[in-house]
Amino acid sequence: MLTFVLQFSFILVEPGEAGNIGAAARAMNTMGFEDLRLVRPKAEHLSGIAKAFAHGSEHLLERAGVYTQLSGRDIMAFLKAVASGGGTGKINIAECLREL
């Protein structure tokens, strides 16, 4: 049986409210996702408010990548890192996008 493994990165661009960042982390954790990336956050993702909204998902806030910019090249690098899989049954999103 062929099994497809999809891994997702959640990228929030210029999030302005710490509570929203925390709530996103909590929702991600509830659904089993772990890769949170913040681009030019306007709110502090490690604040007490963010952690309160994350409730039990603070580890996602602590591991979140923080970036100053996100270019098309960065997006493709993320896709390749997350989705490449050769013959492992994983979907290679970068290859799929090249074929479009």
Side-chain angles (χ1 to χ4, degrees), residues 5-43:
V5 177
L6 295 176
Q7 297 176 10
F8 293 91
S9 294
F10 286 77
I11 303 170
L12 303 181
V13 179
E14 297 182 352
E17 299 291 332
N20 288 345
I21 298 171
R26 185 174 181 181
M28 287 173 55
N29 193 41
T30 298
M31 295 181 284
F33 299 111
E34 297 184 356
D35 189 16
L36 175 61
R37 297 168 189 248
L38 306 171
V39 180
R40 293 182 308 279
K42 295 180 178 182

Side-chain angles (χ1 to χ4, degrees), residues 16-93:
E17 299 291 332
N20 288 345
I21 298 171
R26 185 174 181 181
M28 287 173 55
N29 193 41
T30 298
M31 295 181 284
F33 299 111
E34 297 184 356
D35 189 16
L36 175 61
R37 297 168 189 248
L38 306 171
V39 180
R40 293 182 308 279
K42 295 180 178 182
E44 177 55 52
H45 71 289
L46 296 176
S47 71
I49 293 173
K51 289 181 178 181
F53 275 79
H55 185 69
S57 307
E58 295 88 351
H59 62 286
L60 295 182
L61 297 176
E62 293 164 1
R63 292 192 307 221
V66 179
Y67 303 88
T68 58
Q69 64 181 357
L70 189 64
S71 68
R73 172 180 266 174
D74 294 329
I75 293 170
M76 288 306 295
F78 290 153
L79 290 174
K80 287 180 184 178
V82 171
S84 63
T88 63
K90 295 180 182 178
I91 296 173
N92 187 322
I93 294 174

